Amino acid sequence: MKKALVVMVLLSLVLSGVFAEGTSEKAPANEKLVVGFAQIGQESGWRGAETTSITFYAAQNLDTIQLHFADAQQKQENQIKAVRSFIQMGVDVIGLAPVVETGWETVLKEAKEAEIPVIFVDRMAKVPEDLYATFIGSDFIDEGQKAAKEMIRLLNGKGKVVMLEGTVGASAAIDRQKGFLDAIAAAPGITVIARQSGDFTRSKGKEVMESFLKSYPEIDGAYADNDDMMLGAIEAMKEAGKKPGTQIKTVSVDGVKGIFEAMVAGEANVTVECNPLLGPQFFQAAADLKAGKTVPKWIKSNEDVYRQETAAADLPTRLY
Ligand code: AHR
């Protein structure tokens, strides 16, 4: 509770520009790295961790970094407005976590004309390569494949599976599902009986699972594009008198503390890690771009798979 409060206070200081205007600055304003970051919103614990990683890094480097942070409240139009305002401010670099894959070309062309490099953070967009400098984030197809392999193992290759899907049109959702469906096909005894979007949130994950449970009396496995939706789904399973983790096996993506706690309680089986702690890599890439250095087109995260069997030992080491 205390920690959440500290994070909120720090975030509001960043948002209100206090950090940007602070007196402890050593470098003159024009020598600072000035960055605008257009965040999606706050749909999940994972995204909160990413926001904290970025705002904390900026707060710890006030002498060299000035961050302008915008929360788009899940709306693409708000992200586009934020990018336009960063262009008007003349920031050095723009960070963007695109809520969906499409619809970015016009605003990214404006950034290109203004000679401001754009870094995609955690999610990709479908645009020509010359419209962005680099993508920092995970291989979502690989995450989906890993999740499917775990599901096949948990079900011994046989059973009925439901899929709780992330935001429609988001790269993290599209690619994880592709990876999952491609890899689950290796087990012909497994059937995906239902798929529905829970928009990456816990509350919608719960609603979607409630409706699956009403329509399908036999469900052996549940896969979710993120842990928050699975945590909601686990609540729904318990309320319906089912035993998540035993009667219904679970596999989800992210690796947030909540899912480790559920695994320790025997109510979840596997999480495929997706790293949200991208602040240091983001600012390093931004500094390199400002200095005119070349950065790789994809700065990929290294991630693991975590199972119920080791969750108690893993939990204390989790950072988000
Ligand atoms: O883009 C990454 C995804 O977005 C995470 O898996 C999810 O929790 C988040 O909201």
Side-chain angles (χ1 to χ4, degrees):
M1 191 64 197
K2 252 187 182 171
K3 198 175 151 203
L5 198 66
V6 172
V7 170
M8 279 177 68
V9 170
L10 274 169
L11 188 54
S12 59
L13 287 173
V14 172
L15 289 171
S16 64
V18 168
F19 287 162
E21 310 300 334
T23 50
S24 65
E25 301 151 16
K26 284 179 201 144
N30 61 356
E31 283 179 20
K32 282 191 180 187
L33 172 64
V34 183
V35 172
F37 184 71
Q39 179 58 290
I40 293 171
Q42 304 165 36
E43 77 276 15
S44 63
W46 187 97
R47 193 149 301 284
E50 185 190 62
T51 293
T52 303
S53 174
I54 287 168
T55 53
F56 251 84
Y57 190 92
Q60 283 168 341
N61 292 280
L62 289 177
D63 51 342
T64 54
I65 292 173
Q66 183 177 328
L67 173 67
H68 298 276
F69 182 93
D71 176 337
Q73 302 188 337
Q74 316 302 130
K75 292 199 174 84
Q76 184 177 30
E77 72 246 40
N78 290 345
Q79 281 195 300
I80 291 174
K81 271 188 211 153
V83 171
R84 288 213 167 102
S85 80
F86 297 149
I87 295 171
Q88 272 184 347
M89 284 177 202
V91 300
D92 296 314
V93 177
I94 293 172
L96 170 64
V99 60
V100 290
E101 278 189 333
T102 54
W104 299 103
E105 282 212 28
T106 306
V107 75
L108 293 182
K109 276 182 188 156
E110 291 167 25
K112 192 181 173 191
E113 272 158 31
E115 296 181 14
I116 301 175
V118 173
I119 300 177
F120 290 145
V121 182
D122 98 63
R123 288 194 193 167
M124 261 305 282
K126 274 199 175 141
V127 291
E129 288 217 340
D130 64 313
L131 292 185
Y132 70 98
T134 181
F135 165 53
I136 302 174
S138 309
D139 183 337
F140 297 131
I141 293 186
D142 182 57
E143 289 173 349
Q145 287 170 343
K146 283 178 183 158
K149 282 178 196 153
E150 289 297 310
M151 186 61 84
I152 294 171
R153 178 185 66 80
L154 287 164
L155 297 182
N156 294 317
K158 197 171 170 296
K160 295 184 172 127
V161 169
V162 293
M163 291 173 69
L164 293 105
E165 304 184 339
T167 303
V168 175
S171 64
I174 294 169
D175 288 353
R176 283 176 187 158
Q177 288 151 34
K178 182 180 175 352
F180 186 85
L181 291 169
D182 285 353
I184 209 82
I190 292 184
T191 317
V192 174
I193 54 171
R195 302 171 56 181
Q196 200 178 314
S197 171
D199 210 13
F200 281 128
T201 69
R202 187 170 179 148
S203 58
K204 288 196 187 142
K206 185 175 181 201
E207 278 170 33
V208 169
M209 194 67 212
E210 280 166 356
S211 93
F212 285 162
L213 287 162
K214 280 183 196 138
S215 310
Y216 304 96
E218 262 182 63
I219 298 174
D220 304 300
Y223 159 75
D225 278 337
N226 81 346
D227 290 339
D228 275 55
M229 288 191 292
M230 186 58 81
L231 289 167
I234 288 169
E235 280 176 40
M237 292 177 211
K238 291 202 287 190
E239 285 173 16
K242 299 277 185 189
K243 287 200 170 70
T246 43
Q247 259 181 314
I248 302 179
K249 307 287 189 199
T250 81
V251 182
S252 48
V253 185
D254 275 357
V256 298
K257 276 186 187 164
I259 206 76
F260 278 85
E261 283 157 4
M263 287 197 285
V264 172
E267 294 175 345
N269 299 97
V270 173
T271 185
V272 176
E273 187 179 38
C274 178
N275 178 25
L277 307 177
L278 304 176
Q281 285 165 295
F282 170 60
F283 285 106
Q284 183 59 57
D288 287 347
L289 288 166
K290 184 178 179 181
K293 294 185 192 161
T294 312
V295 296
K297 209 68 192 175
W298 186 359
I299 301 170
K300 218 189 258 190
S301 307
N302 289 325
E303 291 149 349
D304 277 317
V305 171
Y306 292 91
R307 296 177 178 166
Q308 192 188 74
E309 292 75 5
T310 60
D314 295 327
L315 180 56
T317 70
R318 300 304 296 166
L319 297 175
Y320 62 95

